[in-house]
Amino acid sequence: MVFRIFISFFLAASVCFFSVDAQAHPHTLDIEKNQELDFNQLLEGIKDAQVIFIGELHDHEGHHRMQLEIIRGLNRLGKSVAVGLEMFQQDYQGALDKWVAGEMTEEGFVLTYNQNWSMWPIYRPIFIEARSRQMPMVALNVSRSVTRQVARSGFESLTEGQREGFEGISCRVDPAYEDFMRRALGGHGHRQPNFIYFCEAQLLWDAVMAYNIDNYLERHPETTLVVLAGSGHSWKHGIAHQLDQIAERSYKVILPEVRGRIDRTSAQLRDADYLWLDTGPRGWGQTE
């Protein structure tokens, strides 16, 4: 999210855990049917979607393991997969292209990566997989300076050029998304106009990513775009809702079970299509 204070910088997880096969994952919930699925059933349910949103807690090693296994599973099914990244700003697309093409050393790329994000050790296996398969990685995010300005001074503070293509961003959201954002902002969310500006920054972030998703699929219509983003952006109220406003794209949303936010007792189809149940016996925990 736009405020890094909401991101925990957990770096202790070892990348060796990514070697565990996804078949060991015990269950994913099909929310519409209220039915638990094995991994192959999950792949069957999502394989024909143009966009697959996979939510995450950024510092949760288990969530990135599951993302990687879904990417691998779709590749095994013969899908032409690209990986869309909340973590990278559009201005850095060239660096992603060079990384995938093998034209940058890991040491050099990490310097660029750290200008966009953090926690390289737990994201690294996904980037290595993309490089080894020559699998496109797509920078989806707006320049951080723009979202910071909106969060500080509101959408109307942007210049005409900065607002081009994204007129009319205002804090009009359903109660569920408003509640999520207020909880994310914490105690500051109760003072206006702080919450309004934060809300506008969040919606701009979602809208830009939706625009970039649609733009990529216009140019690569046979691609299955797997979008990796925080759970707050990945659920249907987030990027998917903004995508619905500009294009007719088929998509599926997979969210992790997170206590206090969304779990097997509270998940609804308006939130996501699937919930991976990473708590309990043999789940995708931080460590096993």
Side-chain angles (χ1 to χ4, degrees):
M1 298 178 68
V2 63
F3 293 103
R4 286 301 181 91
I5 60 174
F6 301 126
I7 300 175
S8 169
F9 295 95
F10 179 84
L11 296 174
S14 168
V15 296
C16 67
F17 292 123
F18 281 79
S19 63
V20 178
D21 193 284
Q23 305 303 322
H25 188 269
H27 40 229
T28 303
L29 181 69
D30 181 323
I31 294 175
E32 183 175 24
K33 298 178 180 178
N34 194 29
Q35 175 182 330
E36 290 187 9
L37 309 176
D38 65 27
F39 189 72
N40 288 328
Q41 290 173 315
L42 172 64
L43 290 178
E44 185 64 27
I46 65 176
K47 66 181 177 65
D48 294 324
Q50 293 175 291
V51 188
I52 301 168
F53 295 99
I54 311 180
E56 63 179 59
L57 296 184
H58 300 307
D59 63 356
H60 195 302
E61 175 264 338
H63 296 175
H64 301 303
R65 289 168 55 195
M66 188 61 168
Q67 290 169 336
L68 179 59
E69 292 304 334
I70 290 173
I71 290 167
R72 287 174 170 168
L74 291 168
N75 275 311
R76 287 196 299 271
L77 293 178
K79 308 301 290 186
S80 177
V81 178
V83 180
L85 298 166
E86 173 201 356
M87 303 81 198
F88 265 71
Q89 301 163 59
Q90 300 164 257
D91 298 344
Y92 292 86
Q93 182 61 53
L96 285 175
D97 293 341
K98 288 180 179 179
W99 166 257
V100 169
E103 297 173 3
M104 295 183 75
T105 65
E106 181 171 340
E107 182 180 16
F109 178 73
V110 169
L111 294 175
T112 299
Y113 173 91
N114 287 336
Q115 292 177 300
N116 285 268
W117 207 244
S118 61
M119 298 170 282
W120 171 250
I122 59 175
Y123 282 86
R124 180 180 184 271
I126 295 172
F127 281 80
I128 294 295
E129 182 79 7
R131 184 180 176 102
S132 68
R133 290 183 175 272
Q134 301 278 286
M135 185 167 53
M137 304 192 88
V138 186
L140 297 179
N141 222 324
V142 66
S143 170
R144 190 166 294 116
S145 63
V146 173
T147 50
R148 282 175 176 164
Q149 179 175 334
V150 174
R152 183 174 59 249
S153 304
F155 182 75
E156 290 302 317
S157 72
L158 297 179
T159 66
E160 185 175 340
Q162 288 174 314
R163 293 199 306 267
E164 185 176 359
F166 299 100
E167 301 296 332
I169 295 290
S170 62
C171 188
R172 294 192 300 269
V173 294
D174 63 33
Y177 203 10
E178 179 176 343
D179 178 66
F180 168 80
M181 284 190 281
R182 286 189 181 278
R183 284 187 285 114
L185 191 54
H188 299 293
H190 300 292
R191 297 201 309 269
Q192 301 293 348
N194 292 3
F195 172 73
I196 297 298
Y197 293 167
F198 175 76
C199 176
E200 289 177 350
Q202 179 92 355
L203 294 181
L204 178 62
W205 194 306
D206 289 342
V208 169
M209 288 194 282
Y211 173 83
N212 288 328
I213 288 167
D214 184 56
N215 186 47
Y216 186 83
L217 290 174
E218 280 291 324
R219 293 180 285 114
H220 305 279
E222 301 305 316
T223 295
T224 300
L225 186 59
V226 177
V227 175
L228 311 184
S231 292
H233 294 292
S234 294
W235 69 338
K236 290 183 179 179
H237 304 280
I239 309 169
H241 174 72
Q242 297 296 330
L243 186 59
D244 283 337
Q245 309 309 303
I246 60 174
E248 291 187 10
R249 299 288 183 189
S250 61
Y251 59 79
K252 295 293 184 180
V253 173
I254 307 169
L255 294 182
E257 182 175 42
V258 178
R259 291 176 181 175
R261 182 178 301 178
I262 185 170
D263 59 34
R264 66 198 77 190
T265 66
S266 64
Q268 300 183 51
L269 193 58
R270 67 185 183 189
D271 302 317
D273 297 292
Y274 301 96
L275 192 70
W276 76 62
L277 309 178
D278 69 323
T279 61
R282 295 168 48 244
W284 288 116
Q286 292 277 51
T287 58
E288 296 182 12

